[in-house]
Amino acid sequence: MTTAAALTWQRRRESAARFWKQYRRHRAGLLGLAALALFVVIALTAPLTVGSDVASVTEAPGRPMESPSAEFPLGTDRFGRDLLGLLVWGSRVSLLVGLLAAVLSVLIGGLVGITAGHFRGPYATVVMRVTDWFLVMPTLVLAIALATVMSRSLGTIVLAIGVTIWPTTARLVRAQTLAVESRPYIERAKALGGGHWHIMSRHVLPNVMPLILAQTTLMISTSILSEATLAFLGLGDPTVVSWGGMLQEAREAGAVSSGDWWYLVPPGIAIAVVALAFTLCGRAVESVLNPRLGVGR
Amino acid sequence: MTLLEVQDLHVTYPGGAAAVRGVDLTLAAGQKLGIAGESGCGKSTLALALLRLLPAGTRIDGSVLLDGEDVLTMRWGRVRAVRWAGASIVFQGAMHSLNAVHRIGDQIAEPILLHGGTTAAAARRRTGELLEHVGLPAARARAYPHELSGGQRQRVTIAMALACDPLLVVADEPTTALDVMIQAQILRLIEGLVAEQDLGLIMISHDLAVLADTCDRLAVMYAGRVVEEGPAREVHENARHPYAEALSSAFPRIGDPSSRFAPRGLAGDPPDPSDLPSGCAFHPRCEVALAECASEDQVLREAEPERRAACVHVTDMRSHT
């Protein structure tokens, strides 16, 4: 038994190595991965480098609206807080919300897609019409409506983003499920007495997994952008610091008209870079797992 | 002991295509029955109907008694239990009936674990035994389908069919897309396993010679009906129904030069199952059709002891005695 387990691990290591070898050939993917690693390290080490005190309004170290200096490399905000510290601290919320919302949306989308592809008939029709309805609804409007009616917290934001961006995943997964379900081994699985759950979990899921993985990485960047948008519109949790929230505060403080660029530019660039990094990784993963796409290396 | 008894089975697809129209078959344990016929005559539909594997909306009438129990009226949970444990299928095209993302060992163990009663370790041991049984080393259980040759893959599907010790194995064109040497090996393997484990075997093929060689009895199907039935060798060599005769003479006989100079085939196409000709379904293609064939349906009649055929030229033995 132990040798079997060891062999399994050896196989997994080999396939991971193969994946990495192919992934390495995508230069843009590597760049995205490096940027991501950097942001993740910054976010994880934030409690050590800046600490949660950085968000405190009462114990702000500087005067309001200071321009960049040696003491505050990115200047200070309207309460005199260190903007570099806020930027580092805010990365935690942006990445966390992005990840959770993407995972939530892919879970919903995957579940809906696989069941709609597996059970044809009235169930699939109803579920896919609901999906279409979500697809044509302006995502942002729906998310705003949800974030408004629910209590203000990070969970609300995750939920509002997660339940609005799943339809594309559902459509993709359903299409792939239909393709897999027409394969003869599904007929064999039925002939050997497999039920719906058995067929969906043992045969369909492993075959649509690559698609779901690639879709997740792409969804993360969408979620991060949505989170920033919602926070910018003042629908985020006011007690936590996030990049979108920083932009909103900058707007409220009149940074745009007074030309306080250090207040606006860094969070904007950070959002763009993280979203870009996830997209680059997602595209590289997609092209490794699906060589037929022929995405440029 | 009668293992399988099919009585007056009718299958109509949602589009109105009558794929099987009144088939009666019986099969005893240890017996091998061949079903022959060209594409679209209803052979595969018949096989799928035995385990209720047809798409939703298909109308199935008649009865299928498997070991005394009617599969068609069973509760759904019982049908799932009977699938594979009662009767299993060797699908055509082993290439595609294996899932590319699972190891073959896991796929053979799949029905064993699904039908319960054992641990994963026991299932793995059984998988090894099954693989050795069909002539593959037990270590191959770790291979993925694409690492095996066509013949090996077909062996895997046979091992899979035997996994739950079924009473009946339905082999749906098990040797299509295999070369002649491998084909012979696979046929010997199936024959050996059936004899050894006293299973019932239904083998479906368009190749009458293969069936005559492997099976005890042979049923020739045309347009959803059995048109001739009898001991395999006799049906192959001395067919009574003109369709069965055309089918068996479509294969040249080795050592018989005259067959080379008398190429005989069958003109025309099989009839459209949703728009069958009146009377005997074969009459538009039949060389010896009489005027009454176009209007009168021909049913199976006893031609000789143990032999039945559905043709106007075959006089019923019983009606004359």
Side-chain angles (χ1 to χ4, degrees), chain A:
Chain A
M1 242 21 47
T2 49
T3 54
L7 273 170
T8 311
W9 277 108
Q10 191 194 337
R11 284 264 189 169
R12 282 193 188 143
R13 267 200 304 279
E14 275 167 20
S15 74
R18 212 164 35 238
F19 178 86
W20 174 237
K21 206 176 147 202
Q22 285 180 14
Y23 187 92
R24 252 185 352 203
R25 296 215 300 260
H26 299 262
R27 210 175 299 154
L30 278 184
L31 202 67
L33 196 65
L36 272 189
L38 183 69
F39 274 103
V40 169
V41 168
I42 289 175
L44 288 179
T45 57
L48 303 174
T49 52
V50 296
S52 61
D53 293 346
V54 78
S56 162
V57 180
T58 48
E59 285 161 38
R63 285 171 295 112
M65 301 304 235
E66 265 186 75
S67 56
S69 61
E71 196 189 352
F72 305 115
L74 290 177
T76 58
D77 71 351
R78 57 174 164 161
F79 305 112
R81 294 182 292 185
D82 178 13
L83 273 174
L84 180 64
L86 287 178
L87 193 69
V88 170
W89 195 245
S91 67
R92 294 165 69 82
V93 169
S94 289
L95 287 177
L96 183 72
V97 170
L99 270 172
L100 289 181
V103 168
L104 179 67
S105 81
V106 169
L107 277 182
I108 300 175
L111 190 72
V112 168
I114 289 180
T115 52
H118 180 80
F119 301 103
R120 321 275 165 83
Y123 169 79
T125 314
V126 170
V127 160
M128 288 326 281
R129 288 303 80 77
V130 172
T131 308
D132 289 343
W133 185 80
F134 271 99
L135 206 57
V136 294
M137 279 287 284
T139 309
L140 189 59
V141 175
L142 193 59
I144 289 172
L146 281 172
T148 320
V149 294
M150 292 189 285
S151 66
R152 285 197 172 185
S153 70
L154 274 190
T156 303
I157 297 295
V158 169
L159 205 64
I161 298 171
V163 300
T164 47
I165 61 171
W166 60 267
T168 41
T169 313
R171 280 246 158 236
L172 269 174
V173 170
R174 173 176 170 270
Q176 185 69 22
T177 303
L178 287 177
V180 171
E181 289 257 344
S182 65
R183 301 284 180 80
Y185 55 76
I186 297 294
E187 192 179 19
R188 173 181 67 80
K190 279 184 198 151
L192 54 80
H196 296 301
W197 171 249
H198 178 85
I199 288 170
M200 285 190 283
S201 62
R202 283 290 307 269
H203 292 280
V204 176
L205 189 62
N207 279 291
V208 300
M209 209 54 208
L211 185 77
I212 290 183
L213 279 179
Q215 182 69 8
T216 310
T217 40
L218 292 175
M219 275 297 146
I220 293 175
S221 67
T222 312
S223 312
I224 289 177
L225 287 176
S226 304
E227 190 273 334
T229 312
L230 288 177
F232 177 72
L233 294 173
L235 296 163
D237 185 345
T239 59
V240 299
V241 180
S242 78
W243 293 338
M246 287 169 73
L247 283 176
Q248 191 233 354
E249 280 190 3
R251 192 188 55 83
E252 278 182 359
V256 185
S257 47
S258 60
D260 301 333
W261 59 269
W262 61 88
Y263 209 161
L264 282 168
V265 174
I269 288 181
I271 292 167
V273 168
V274 169
L276 182 68
F278 271 110
T279 309
L280 291 178
C281 289
R283 274 170 58 89
V285 169
E286 206 173 1
S287 67
V288 168
L289 296 176
N290 186 359
R292 272 167 303 174
L293 278 181
V295 175
R297 319 222 132 116

Side-chain angles (χ1 to χ4, degrees), chain B residues 6-10 20-25 46 221 224-226:
Chain B
V6 178
Q7 286 163 349
D8 198 30
L9 186 73
H10 289 260
V20 176
R21 307 179 299 139
V23 166
D24 297 282
L25 289 172
L46 177 66
M221 282 186 75
R225 282 212 184 150
V226 173

Side-chain angles (χ1 to χ4, degrees), chain B residues 8-315:
Chain B
D8 198 30
L9 186 73
H10 289 260
V11 178
T12 311
Y13 281 112
V20 176
R21 307 179 299 139
V23 166
D24 297 282
L25 289 172
T26 50
L27 184 71
Q31 208 180 29
K32 291 167 285 183
L33 171 71
I35 299 181
E38 53 197 336
S39 303
C41 72
K43 338 183 269 290
S44 293
T45 304
L46 177 66
L48 295 179
L50 298 183
L51 281 179
R52 270 172 63 184
L53 284 169
L54 293 163
T58 311
R59 255 199 35 232
I60 311 175
D61 299 309
S63 68
V64 175
L65 298 174
L66 179 65
D67 206 20
E69 248 182 306
D70 192 349
V71 178
L72 299 183
T73 56
M74 267 178 202
R75 297 166 61 101
W76 196 239
R78 180 77 192 128
V79 171
R80 276 184 53 197
V82 163
R83 286 179 180 176
W84 228 256
S88 63
I89 300 185
V90 178
F91 283 100
Q92 52 180 322
M95 196 91 72
H96 306 292
S97 60
L98 295 172
N99 190 338
V101 302
H102 292 304
R103 288 170 216 286
I104 58 162
D106 295 341
Q107 298 194 55
I108 297 174
E110 192 180 340
I112 304 175
L113 293 172
L114 199 64
H115 289 282
T118 47
T119 59
R124 204 170 305 138
R125 264 200 307 281
R126 174 98 178 102
T127 303
E129 284 168 26
L130 285 164
L131 281 174
E132 306 237 310
H133 228 78
V134 298
L136 287 174
R140 291 306 269 165
R142 305 200 47 75
Y144 282 98
H146 69 268
E147 295 170 339
L148 302 177
S149 72
Q152 287 175 320
R153 261 178 265 187
Q154 194 64 64
R155 285 169 190 269
V156 170
T157 57
I158 292 170
M160 205 178 280
L162 298 174
C164 292
D165 297 315
L167 305 166
L168 172 70
V169 174
V170 179
D172 190 356
E173 313 223 7
T175 56
T176 344
L178 295 178
D179 65 62
V180 187
M181 294 302 294
I182 305 295
Q183 193 172 329
Q185 285 177 17
I186 296 288
L187 289 173
R188 291 293 89 79
L189 173 68
I190 294 179
E191 256 188 329
L193 292 172
V194 166
E196 197 178 305
Q197 308 191 9
D198 209 27
L199 307 168
L201 173 76
I202 293 183
M203 188 139 110
I204 294 172
S205 177
H206 53 265
D207 194 334
L208 212 57
V210 162
L211 292 179
D213 189 37
T214 318
C215 298
D216 309 320
R217 292 184 68 76
L218 191 58
V220 179
M221 282 186 75
Y222 187 79
R225 282 212 184 150
V226 173
V227 292
E228 173 146 13
E229 206 220 319
R233 209 150 275 287
E234 283 178 42
V235 172
H236 181 44
E237 279 160 13
N238 178 27
R240 303 297 295 265
H241 191 280
Y243 174 68
E245 197 188 342
L247 202 61
S248 73
S249 62
F251 300 95
R253 268 177 212 155
I254 294 166
D256 178 14
S258 65
S259 75
R260 271 191 284 168
F261 299 107
R264 274 190 294 172
L266 190 56
D269 295 313
D272 176 0
S274 53
D275 183 23
L276 289 168
S278 60
C280 169
F282 185 60
H283 84 266
R285 297 168 79 187
C286 184
E287 281 179 356
V288 293
L290 305 175
E292 64 205 77
C293 291
S295 54
E296 276 173 37
D297 205 354
Q298 302 297 332
V299 291
L300 275 179
R301 54 198 87 181
E302 207 100 352
E304 287 164 36
E306 291 287 294
R307 288 197 61 178
R308 296 183 299 161
C311 181
V312 70
H313 295 287
V314 175
T315 40

